[in-house]
Amino acid sequence: MKRKINRSLGGTIALFLFIALVGAFMALPLIFTVNNAFKPLDEFFLFPPRFWVRNPTTNNFADLFILMAESWVPFSRYILNSIFITGAGTFGHVIIAAAAAYPLAKHEFKGKAVLFSIVVLSLMFSPQVTAIPNYMVITLLGFNNTYAALIVPAFAFSLGLYLMKQFMEQIPDSLLESAQIDGASEYRTFFSIVMPNVKPAWLTLAILMFQQLWGNTGGMFIRSEQLRPLNFALLLITQGGVPARAGASAAVGLIIMSVPITFFIISQSSIIETMTTSGMKE
């Protein structure tokens, strides 16, 4: 017999208050970053430092735009570079990961177990370990100092393939067999049946890859100033070490953080809705 949860009203209120306190504590870094972005310069160097801004101002953002206007590459070019790299890398990663996971999850062929074992083993290596091999491969392919140097490696993010395979295995085989009986091709089955039913998986992948690519500065792959993403230009300001740039640096932190958080908030509602409405059983 199933055991019913016996919790009083007081226990429910206490649990709610505990969760609210934990949530408020986790939101402190975000609140602190927002406050810093609107602090005037005289409040940055107070001791002891203040958590809340007393005299909010938008001068930090104005100073940031003035600094960016002094660069010989237009500020809009940095923005377009980041949008293109992030969008192309995220879209390509989701499609390739899903297309590779589909036969591993729903088809039988020789070497299937070996291929999946390689994918799992690749998750054990940190990016620092594979940095030099990645650079050598990108250079041999001729992608160095191009957008492809950042976009193509995103396609091979093994965590996406692993996650998509695990989700696709939960789709009933009878559903796919019914589509085949109705005359649907593999491509039609994949895009019309499989992808909608693994929406939580590819939305999660999109969030992870979006955050990773948006925070990319180009590293050792991009040398041309016209190809560098927005994060590189903004981080140059924070690394200047000039006290007068403290306000602009705080504004940079808010801009860098706000875009991935906004994308996460928009996608999170779709993930929760899909998880609650697309449960399927054989």
Side-chain angles (χ1 to χ4, degrees), residues 15-41:
L15 180 61
F16 176 80
L17 291 176
F18 174 75
I19 295 175
L21 287 174
V22 172
F25 179 76
M26 296 178 67
L28 287 178
L30 175 61
I31 298 173
F32 182 72
T33 303
V34 174
N35 275 272
N36 268 2
F38 294 96
K39 281 183 180 179
L41 283 178

Side-chain angles (χ1 to χ4, degrees), residues 100-170:
Y102 177 55
L104 287 175
K106 291 301 177 182
H107 291 275
E108 296 295 332
F109 55 90
K110 292 183 179 180
K112 172 182 174 179
V114 176
L115 289 175
F116 186 66
S117 298
I118 294 175
V119 173
V120 175
L121 288 174
S122 66
L123 297 174
M124 300 173 60
F125 298 96
S126 64
Q128 291 76 15
V129 175
T130 59
I132 295 178
N134 284 344
Y135 181 80
M136 295 175 63
V137 171
I138 292 298
T139 303
L140 290 174
L141 292 175
F143 293 157
N144 221 336
N145 200 31
T146 64
Y147 291 128
L150 301 180
I151 296 174
V152 173
F155 296 166
F157 190 44
S158 55
L159 178 61
L161 174 57
Y162 176 82
L163 184 63
M164 293 297 293
K165 178 184 179 297
Q166 299 304 107
F167 262 76
M168 288 182 181
E169 285 181 344
Q170 301 175 12

